[in-house]
Amino acid sequence: MSENNKADKALVSTGSPEESKKSIQSLTPKEIVAELDKYIIGQDSAKKSVAVALRNRYRRSLVSEKMREEITPKNILMMGPTGCGKTEIARRLAKLMNAPFVKVEATKFTEVGYVGRDVDSMIRDLVETSLRLTKNAHMQEKYDIADMLAEQKILEAIIPGAKQSETKVQKTPYEMIMNAYMGQQNQQTQPQENVQQTQETELAREQVKQQLRAGLLEDQLIEIQIDDKPMSNQLDVGNEGMSIAIGNIFDGMMPKKTKTKKVRVKDARRILREQEAQNLLDMDQITDEALNNAEQNGIVFIDEIDKIANANNYSGADVSREGVQRDILPIVEGSVVNTKYGPVKTDHILFIGAGAFHTAKPTDLIPELQGRFPIRVELKSLDKEDFVKILTVPENAQVKQHQALLATEGIDLEFTDDAIDEIADLSCKMNEQNENIGARRLATVLEKLLEDISYEIPEPDESGKITIDRDFVRSKFADTIRRDDMDRYII
């Protein structure tokens, strides 16, 4: 843990680059590390590097436009064994900044001319993620109006003919004057019985509205009209991710189709809310913001990058490794990738490479690609002390997760300190004697430890709790420990 002040500032969750700048502006690199410390144990040097990289993005936004174009992200290469926190650091970094983030595996790509994923697909995936973030942010802004529109449609479904222009739809002064004038004319010419009927309808409508807002009609069945959106047919134009939705080509030329659906009021409110918010969106604006967000704030995490390094410099079955590196190179150093939403420049996207580098070394990558990852961070293997902290300290600690899950069954699960110590010690031994999978071993041990409790849901003891102590842990893994001990003496 580095010496820093814990950041108590709440981050605003939006998808636009402008709001991302606002949220990151209040966090210094030390405070960014403090936020990461809430979820990640140790690896201070790696957290320090990504915190500086994150802060530099905000600093770049404050310089002159001419200088801004010259400042490119300093990509990071993380080296460390599996399960030591490489992916989690990058993922938490993206959440902290609320930036578009994708994780790809370098081994999934193949050199141009081979069957498989091309490297451009990582940018197309990033754009899809950015579009989803930006759309969700705009949907949140439209929900207030959408709730009003949904309520009007539900009222109309309960009391047909009870439409009322209560939603705040802006009108021109001319329209307002003409509406008022026509209303007076209608009142003068309208028969008395029609006026009385209208008043009764309005009174009933107000009563139903109050009942709706009080939640008294949630289980009543009503019929609503929803947009009928058939599954669009995708035409593959020969490039992965560049398919065309044939149905969308003629979408603007034909009237929207609707269908009647009978649902409960509580479900109708949710369906209509999403539908009305969707109809209020300006997709052209959202697409433009999403592309800009991907270009300026996007983070691409390339895992297993060591697997495409040619450690022995030989040809044969792995001849395409160097080809994949050369295909990744222009993406990392800055190029334009065509997506179905428009071209995307990769000059200011932050790339984080990661790998165990057991058999290969960073120097086994082609020199050009090495130079595009100027910041190198080595993550250490986790020991028993780290495991104890991982089990208890983070806000999303695995022990806390299991306690929350079993609490839904009325089980108050308690772990003693010696039980935590035994779980950490057992996990370390299993990593030493078998494949070292880092902190992921804790999940394996905990699942096995609590398997019978989750299945049988036993009654708690007199204190109202189910206590997990050292003896309980040892009894669960007695066979495993005995077998491992015997293996030590077998030559």
Side-chain angles (χ1 to χ4, degrees), residues 190-378:
Q190 193 176 29
Q192 184 65 31
E193 59 272 13
N194 289 349
V195 173
Q196 183 177 358
Q197 184 178 2
T198 301
Q199 292 175 345
E200 291 176 353
T201 302
E202 284 299 315
L203 180 61
R205 182 179 178 280
E206 285 300 320
Q207 291 176 346
V208 171
K209 184 191 295 185
Q210 295 300 324
Q211 291 176 337
L212 271 177
R213 293 179 176 178
L216 302 178
L217 305 176
E218 294 297 284
D219 293 326
Q220 180 175 330
L221 286 173
I222 59 173
E223 288 187 350
I224 58 173
Q225 296 291 322
I226 63 174
D227 294 339
D228 186 10
K229 296 182 179 179
M231 295 180 64
S232 58
N233 295 320
Q234 298 289 333
L235 174 64
D236 190 358
V237 295
N239 193 3
E240 182 188 1
M242 297 297 289
S243 57
I244 298 175
I246 299 176
N248 293 341
I249 297 176
F250 306 101
D251 189 48
M253 304 179 185
M254 302 178 66
K256 284 187 176 181
K257 292 183 179 181
T258 60
K259 62 181 179 181
T260 303
K261 189 172 184 179
K262 182 174 285 189
V263 294
R264 299 184 186 277
V265 168
K266 59 183 178 182
D267 297 322
R269 184 181 289 108
R270 173 181 52 81
I271 294 170
L272 292 173
R273 183 190 197 219
E274 294 296 323
Q275 180 176 292
E276 294 301 327
Q278 178 78 31
N279 293 337
L280 291 169
L281 296 180
D282 183 349
M283 288 308 298
D284 291 335
Q285 178 189 358
I286 290 174
T287 300
D288 291 341
E289 286 186 15
L291 290 176
N292 184 53
N293 196 17
E295 288 181 343
Q296 303 300 323
N297 295 318
I299 299 174
V300 177
F301 183 83
I302 307 176
D303 201 7
E304 296 186 352
I305 198 170
D306 58 318
K307 301 296 192 301
I308 60 172
N310 197 346
N312 299 315
N313 295 318
Y314 63 85
S315 60
D318 298 322
V319 67
S320 66
R321 289 182 177 184
E322 185 172 324
V324 175
Q325 294 183 58
R326 295 198 178 279
D327 288 345
I328 292 177
L329 180 61
I331 303 292
V332 175
E333 68 182 356
S335 61
V336 177
V337 175
N338 290 318
T339 71
K340 61 183 177 182
Y341 303 104
V344 175
K345 293 176 64 178
T346 66
D347 300 64
H348 302 291
I349 294 174
L350 177 64
F351 291 89
I352 302 176
F357 288 99
H358 289 314
T359 57
K361 304 184 295 294
T363 52
D364 291 325
L365 296 168
I366 60 174
E368 297 89 340
L369 191 59
Q370 292 181 46
R372 294 298 170 182
F373 289 90
I375 301 176
R376 296 184 184 178
V377 181
E378 189 167 353

Side-chain angles (χ1 to χ4, degrees), residues 10 98 110 115 201 234 253 275 296 314 316 324 330 379 415 432 445 455 459 483:
N98 201 35
T110 58
V115 176
T201 302
Q234 298 289 333
M253 304 179 185
Q275 180 176 292
Q296 303 300 323
Y314 63 85
V324 175
L379 285 77
F415 288 81
E432 291 172 359
V445 172
Y455 178 74
E459 292 294 328
R483 184 172 60 251

